[in-house]
Amino acid sequence: MEIKGLKSWGGQWKRPLIMAGPCSAETREQLRETAVAIHNLGINIIRAGVWKPRTRPNNFEGVGVNALKWIRDIKDEIDVKFAVEVANPNHVEESLYHGVDILWIGARSTVNPFSVQELANTLRGVDIPVFIKNPINPDLSLWIGAIERFSQAGIKKIGAIHRGFSSIQKTRFRNTPQWSIPLELKKNFTEIPLICDPSHIAGDREMILEISQKASDLDYDGLMIETHRDPNNAWSDAKQQVSPARLGEILESVTFRNPTSKNKEFLSHLEELREEIDQLDHELYEVIATRMQIVDQIGYYKRDNNVTVFQKNRWKEISENRGNWAKQLGLDTDFMDEIFKRIHENSIRRQREIMNKSFQQTKDASGGN
Ligand code: PEP
Ligand code: MN
């Protein structure tokens, strides 16, 4: 199954692909004013939640079809495309009828293969870009499954949106990013346009710039950022939305990187640096191998003198001076501490094996049990 890259989507699809707009379309004026301000930043894809999936009932659940009429009118006025979340066949039909340009599948729909299949069936034969958000739970196969269902229904322009994952552990994120999952997705579909939604990952507008930069560093194709003319008074997700002015600042501050460069000088310098890294890594491994040989010698020595493998005072001394070395060398002390703990664990395991082996040999030799 082949998922096509942005380049083959047509001339107007370029990196970085930016979608911005309110979490929810609230009123005609709110949507219009927000869209115009975003358009003035040079962004021409506006997102808007029309039907809102809410955790509990009786919260604002979106204005529905009326918002689609506003969208149609705004598109008559300014040159923008609109992206809308669809969660059932009726949403799809209404969106297509009102001329919505891009659809996205929300995280709560991607978790459910029944919903995804229904949506895919409704879209059979329709040429519209579909962006699929990651499922709420950190399950890569559900995400892949949804992509496959749309692809099998004949959708040619399929993108993925990383909006983070729910987790039982409390973290500083509303939805923990777990970056390795979208990167693994990219291994399965190397060309798929991958967009980051820092708004839902963060849950807090203060973190949007940092997450956007990280996504760009990881070679994402674009960003979806919730933007509202008056974020503090938004009817949903108020804390994580930014004003159009702030969106402009964020996009100015993010450095969008290229996956690679055609510049020969850059490439040959990169090659040299990579060789240096390979050399250093090899040395690092050799040093660890030598260290383990000495660890083994100490193991035999301890065994012959009948002393315990683990010695508290020695460990205390080791951790203290390794910590100081890290500081002196400008290394992150927590990071070095973690690496060193693993090396020490491995050393202890080797010495325990040496002790147990000799114990086993003694038992075998004496024929006892
Ligand atoms: C949204 O984009 O407003 C939304 C509801 O997102 P998600 O499906 O990622 O929760
Ligand atoms: Mn939202």
Side-chain angles (χ1 to χ4, degrees):
M1 192 179 67
E2 195 196 4
I3 306 287
K4 293 237 164 71
L6 263 194
K7 281 205 188 91
S8 72
W9 284 31
Q12 77 271 41
W13 295 96
K14 291 205 178 72
R15 271 171 68 122
L17 180 64
I18 309 294
M19 303 189 199
C23 176
S24 308
E26 298 163 1
T27 65
R28 180 187 284 272
E29 261 323 295
Q30 169 257 4
L31 186 60
R32 188 188 161 278
E33 203 178 306
T34 308
V36 168
I38 292 171
H39 179 241
N40 287 341
L41 296 170
I43 295 163
N44 57 9
I45 305 179
I46 311 291
R47 61 148 282 153
V50 167
W51 299 276
K52 297 307 297 178
R54 304 312 294 267
T55 306
R56 307 268 309 265
N58 309 324
N59 285 313
F60 171 62
E61 294 194 317
V63 293
V65 175
N66 273 341
L68 297 176
K69 296 187 177 134
W70 307 335
I71 286 176
R72 208 172 44 191
D73 294 346
I74 295 168
K75 282 180 49 168
D76 282 342
E77 194 188 334
I78 53 172
D79 181 23
V80 288
K81 294 191 185 312
F82 265 89
V84 157
E85 174 180 350
V86 288
N88 65 41
N90 180 49
H91 296 166
V92 173
E93 274 150 20
E94 291 288 2
S95 299
L96 295 178
Y97 176 76
H98 287 88
V100 166
D101 308 275
I102 298 159
L103 303 177
W104 89 78
I105 311 303
R108 289 164 190 78
S109 303
T110 310
V111 286
N112 183 349
F114 289 129
S115 303
V116 171
Q117 192 59 56
E118 261 186 3
L119 289 162
N121 292 345
T122 315
L123 280 167
R124 208 173 281 279
V126 180
D127 179 21
I128 191 166
V130 178
F131 283 84
I132 302 167
K133 286 203 169 194
N134 66 254
I136 298 263
N137 48 322
D139 183 340
L140 176 63
S141 5
L142 273 175
W143 202 1
I144 292 179
I147 292 167
E148 287 169 339
R149 287 179 200 277
F150 284 99
S151 174
Q152 281 174 13
I155 300 294
K156 296 274 181 283
K157 301 186 183 102
I158 298 178
I161 301 177
H162 172 216
R163 51 79 78 199
F165 301 89
S166 117
S167 121
I168 31 171
Q169 266 152 9
K170 225 179 143 29
T171 70
R172 68 192 181 101
F173 302 100
R174 177 179 178 195
N175 293 291
T176 54
Q178 305 211 34
W179 297 98
S180 60
I181 297 178
L183 296 182
E184 197 58 33
L185 181 81
K186 266 283 201 191
K187 278 198 202 149
N188 283 263
F189 305 109
T190 47
E191 291 296 312
I192 196 166
L194 177 61
I195 307 293
C196 179
D197 170 351
S199 312
H200 288 88
I201 291 179
D204 175 348
R205 66 179 70 102
E206 296 306 321
M207 288 157 69
I208 289 179
L209 173 57
E210 164 201 339
I211 298 167
S212 302
Q213 184 61 60
K214 167 106 187 183
S216 173
D217 294 344
L218 292 172
D219 195 23
Y220 278 51
D221 296 277
L223 300 167
M224 177 191 253
I225 299 183
E226 284 192 338
T227 308
H228 190 289
R229 65 167 177 181
D230 181 10
N232 285 330
N233 291 307
W235 298 358
S236 58
D237 287 352
K239 261 178 65 191
Q240 73 193 30
Q241 301 206 58
V242 294
S243 66
R246 178 65 191 143
L247 174 68
E249 286 170 11
I250 291 172
L251 296 177
E252 281 282 306
S253 310
V254 175
T255 311
F256 291 100
R257 303 188 203 285
N258 291 318
T260 182
S261 161
K262 292 195 171 47
N263 178 330
K264 289 235 166 47
E265 206 180 308
F266 163 81
L267 287 177
S268 67
H269 189 47
L270 185 67
E271 233 7 81
E272 273 170 36
L273 293 173
R274 283 185 173 154
E275 266 167 35
E276 249 179 81
I277 290 273
D278 284 350
Q279 182 57 31
L280 286 169
D281 284 353
H282 191 238
E283 280 173 31
L284 207 58
Y285 277 56
E286 281 179 329
V287 170
I288 292 176
T290 312
R291 186 185 196 282
M292 291 306 171
Q293 283 160 14
I294 298 179
V295 160
D296 289 358
Q297 279 177 27
I298 298 180
Y300 289 114
Y301 197 58
K302 284 179 182 165
R303 178 199 67 190
D304 295 338
N305 291 282
N306 216 14
V307 296
T308 59
V309 166
F310 182 72
Q311 289 171 310
K312 255 199 313 255
N313 291 343
R314 171 68 181 146
W315 174 236
K316 196 159 164 272
E317 176 195 318
I318 283 182
S319 337
E320 275 171 14
N321 56 25
R322 281 4 168 224
N324 288 335
W325 294 346
K327 268 192 220 125
Q328 281 158 15
L329 291 165
L331 293 165
D332 180 328
T333 45
D334 288 343
F335 166 64
M336 289 311 293
D337 197 37
E338 212 172 293
I339 292 190
F340 198 74
K341 267 199 198 113
R342 301 302 296 269
I343 292 178
H344 187 247
E345 271 163 28
N346 191 260
S347 307
I348 298 266
R349 190 178 58 72
R350 287 175 81 103
Q351 293 191 347
R352 277 218 329 271
E353 274 171 14
I354 289 171
M355 297 267 184
N356 289 342
K357 205 162 51 193
S358 58
F359 176 57
Q360 194 62 41
Q361 275 162 0
T362 326
K363 267 199 324 190
D364 291 345
S366 66
N369 52 23

